[in-house]
Structure formats: C-alpha cells, structure tokens
Amino acid sequence: MESDVEESMRKRQRKNPFSGEYSRKQFEQYAERPYGAMGDVNFIQEDDNRLEITRAKFGSLLKRHGDLAERISRDSDKIAFERLQKEFEAARASQTEEIYLDGEQWNDGLLATIREQVHIETDRKAMSGDTDILTSPQEKITYKTGNKVICCLDGARIGIQYETSFAGESCEFYHCVLESKSFLEKMTVLEHTLPYFLPIHEIENDLLSSNAMKFIDHVGDLLQAYVDRREQVRLIKELYGNQIGELYHSLPHHMIEFVLEDFDCKVTVSLRYTDLISVLPTRVTVLAWPMLNKNSTTTLNRMEDGVSGNHPLPVRLSYAEDALRTMSLPEAYAEIVLNLPQALQQMYH
C-alpha cells in the first residue's frame, strides 16, 4: 500500500516539474535575488535597453517611411510644379497691370470681381471663333497681397501662388488652382502643389464653399507655418547637430522630439503644436535624466508617489520649457544650453 502511494507521488512530480524539491530550489533562487524599494535595478536597466532598441527601430521606420513617401510623390509633384510655374509666369508676363492690395482692399467683393473676370474672358474666347462678333482685348490684371499672387488663368480658373520665407529669405513657391463651372457655382480645388500631408481637402470642405477668401488666406498661413517649423528644425540640426543624439519629427513638423546627450545628463525635449498654423509649441516637456554611470552627486534620492530609492528620476526644466514656448527653436536651444550647467547644479547638488 505504501509503495503504491510513493509511486503515485513520483508520477505526480514528473507531471508537475514545479513541485517538490525543484520548486523549493527555484523559490530559494528567486528569494536570494536583491530587490530594492523600486524593484530589481537590473530589470530596470534591461527595460531601458529594450526601450532604446525599440526607439531606434521606430526612428529608422519613420525615416524609411518619409524617404519612401518623398520618392513616391517627388516626380509627379515636380512635373505639376514645373507646369504650373510656367503657366503663372506666362500669366504675369502677359498682364496689363499688377495691383498690390493692402489691408481691407483684399476682400470678398474683390474675389467676386476676379471670378467674374475669368468667366468673361472664357466666354470671350469661346465667341472669338465667330467672325461676325467683334471682341476687344481684355485687360489682364494680377493681384498681389501678402505672400500671395492671384492670377486669372485660362479655362475659368483662378490661380494662387504662395511664396514662403524664413528669416527674411525666400523659400519655396506653392500653387493652388481653383475652378468653377459658372459664376453662380461654388469653386473647387482643381489642382495644387502643396505638400501631400497638409489637409488641403479638409480645408476645402470646411471653407471654400462658404468663404473662398478665408480659404485662400488659411492655406497661405498653413504653408508659411509649416515652412517656419521645418526650417527651425533644419537650423538646429545645422548649428547644434553634434550635441543632438536623436531627433524625430512628424512630416508636418507639428510633433518634434530630440535628445541632448553632450552634457552631464540626458535631456529630452518634446514639442507639440495645437494646430498646423502654429509656429510656437503649445505643449512642451523638457526632462533632465541623470546618467546611471555618474557618481552619487548626480543622482537623486527622493520620495515620489510613496516610493523611495536611489534610482535616478527625471526632473522637469521649467526654464527650458518657458524658453521654447516664447522663442523660436534655435533661440530657445541656445538659451537652454547656456543655462543648463547652472540649472543642473541647483537641482543635483
């Protein structure tokens, strides 16, 4: 009887390898592992390493996506741009007058006049084939307001050319061509050379049918803000690239993140822009992360959320966040670097 019980116990242990002596040994091994108040430091470091690997892979994926999207759109966009640029140049070359609009001179009434002109010109050309109808040459007027040039194009089309700039220097030209079948019908976007990731169709649906002038102005603001954000990022990479370990941004540059590693600690900067016409970020987070391999004077030993330990915790750099909210990115970066040693000295010593 006893032998039957022993045999049953041996079979049970074979089926369940985590029972008996094996289980006790495993438990003792885990029990002997040194755990601190915040958990096993080795586990934390392994998590950090895995996070860095994931971020590196994600950053590489974003770069490949951006390169692929650029290659896909480059050729077709270039052809459309060259064709429209030539058409705008021809329209301005044949103009009889260029009028500069200031302030309230650019209004809905003027836009209605421009629409009327393109339809009159289209009707005139349609009738010019009839020899019994005499037609007089039509005045060709081009309007310029702010960074926009507005031309009357053939085929009842209104063309808007946007000139962007940064720090007083001209950047790219962009085009948007509007069309309406008749003077009474609403206008639609026939074609454009705006970056594909800007929401031109959403703006068209929201504004063009109700307020064409507001649509034209909003597109100009959208393009200029995008170029401004993009050029700010380009400039800090050009000026401070040796201090920036990582830099990520969305295609419209309305989400930007970068890391400063050439200092006594790792500083992470995260910028978010409320909308695509903002040139200054509205959500800013700047964190200083003490290096794990530094001595104890550069690590924190404090209590937070009821848990204490000497694992380094990040600290927000409020002076840096204020600078990024009120200055352009290159100016704010210089301000952050200039005052960083003093800020770290006050926080960690």
Side-chain angles (χ1 to χ4, degrees):
M1 186 70 178
E2 292 180 358
S3 61
D4 293 341
V5 173
E6 292 175 355
E7 180 64 23
S8 176
M9 291 292 292
R10 282 195 296 269
K11 289 181 179 180
R12 197 175 304 168
Q13 287 180 359
R14 284 196 296 269
K15 291 181 179 179
N16 184 8
F18 295 100
S19 63
E21 186 65 24
Y22 180 86
S23 178
R24 287 197 297 272
K25 288 181 179 179
Q26 290 294 98
F27 178 79
E28 289 170 0
Q29 290 175 3
Y30 282 107
E32 290 173 359
R33 299 183 65 173
Y35 277 79
M38 296 186 65
D40 193 334
V41 175
N42 291 329
F43 280 180
I44 295 175
Q45 291 176 344
E46 290 174 4
D47 287 344
D48 289 345
N49 291 335
R50 284 195 293 268
L51 180 60
E52 291 300 324
I53 293 172
T54 302
R55 291 185 64 184
K57 290 181 178 179
F58 183 64
S60 176
L61 181 62
L62 285 177
K63 185 177 185 304
R64 289 171 57 190
H65 174 268
D67 293 342
L68 178 61
E70 182 181 355
R71 286 198 300 270
I72 291 174
S73 61
R74 183 186 302 149
D75 293 340
S76 59
D77 287 352
K78 184 178 180 180
I79 293 172
F81 174 84
E82 290 176 349
R83 174 174 53 79
L84 286 175
Q85 185 66 18
K86 289 179 180 179
E87 190 169 5
F88 272 82
E89 290 174 354
R92 297 189 74 177
S94 63
Q95 69 187 18
T96 57
E97 184 180 6
E98 183 168 275
I99 298 177
Y100 289 83
L101 305 174
D102 185 20
E104 295 181 356
Q105 291 179 320
W106 167 236
N107 51 47
D108 292 326
L110 178 63
L111 185 57
T113 300
I114 296 173
R115 290 189 64 187
E116 185 179 16
Q117 288 176 353
V118 297
H119 283 287
I120 290 175
E121 179 67 10
T122 299
D123 294 341
R124 186 187 70 83
K125 287 185 176 181
M127 294 185 296
S128 62
D130 190 340
T131 56
D132 295 332
I133 300 177
L134 298 177
T135 58
S136 58
Q138 181 77 10
E139 286 188 346
K140 295 185 177 180
I141 303 174
T142 299
Y143 301 90
K144 186 173 177 60
T145 173
N147 67 336
K148 301 179 288 292
V149 175
I150 304 170
C151 299
C152 299
L153 303 177
D154 293 339
R157 296 176 301 149
I158 298 175
I160 304 100
Q161 178 177 271
Y162 298 93
E163 180 181 358
T164 59
S165 61
F166 179 72
E169 299 292 331
S170 294
C171 293
E172 297 96 335
F173 288 103
Y174 296 97
H175 310 90
C176 183
V177 178
L178 305 179
E179 180 188 45
S180 63
K181 301 302 181 182
S182 72
F183 181 71
L184 298 177
E185 293 185 27
K186 70 175 185 178
M187 289 187 291
T188 58
V189 176
L190 180 63
E191 59 180 335
H192 65 84
T193 60
L194 277 66
Y196 71 92
F197 45 79
L198 296 182
I200 181 67
H201 295 298
E202 288 83 349
I203 302 171
E204 177 184 3
N205 294 333
D206 292 342
L207 294 178
L208 188 54
S209 60
S210 59
N211 193 324
M213 175 187 160
K214 190 173 182 180
F215 166 83
I216 294 171
D217 289 345
H218 188 76
V219 170
D221 294 339
L222 192 73
L223 287 168
Q224 182 55 55
Y226 157 66
V227 170
D228 206 315
R229 293 190 303 269
R230 184 199 67 193
E231 290 301 298
Q232 289 183 51
V233 171
R234 181 195 62 79
L235 193 55
I236 67 165
K237 289 170 64 177
E238 180 181 315
L239 297 177
Y240 309 107
N242 61 321
Q243 298 175 342
I244 299 175
E246 304 169 16
L247 192 151
Y248 307 100
H249 61 77
S250 60
L251 291 174
H253 289 72
H254 70 312
M255 295 186 294
I256 302 169
E257 293 186 0
F258 58 90
V259 177
L260 285 67
E261 293 184 329
D262 194 25
F263 301 94
D264 289 338
C265 68
K266 182 178 180 179
V267 178
T268 60
V269 179
S270 176
L271 308 177
R272 298 291 185 270
Y273 298 75
T274 298
D275 49 51
L276 294 178
I277 61 172
S278 300
V279 295
L280 292 175
T282 49
R283 290 172 51 198
V284 181
T285 304
V286 182
L287 298 176
W289 299 78
M291 294 297 188
L292 290 175
N293 60 349
K294 298 292 182 180
N295 58 38
S296 59
T297 60
T298 58
T299 60
L300 293 178
N301 186 358
R302 72 185 197 186
M303 180 173 291
E304 185 168 300
D305 296 333
V307 179
S308 63
N310 59 1
H311 185 73
L313 300 178
V315 177
R316 296 188 69 165
L317 300 179
S318 57
Y319 85 94
E321 294 177 349
D322 292 340
L324 288 162
R325 290 191 189 96
T326 56
M327 303 179 184
S328 69
L329 188 51
E331 293 174 328
Y333 187 98
E335 180 76 10
I336 292 171
V337 172
L338 179 65
N339 294 286
L340 186 58
Q342 182 179 357
L344 297 179
Q345 180 74 19
Q346 291 176 351
M347 284 187 291
Y348 295 143
H349 295 279

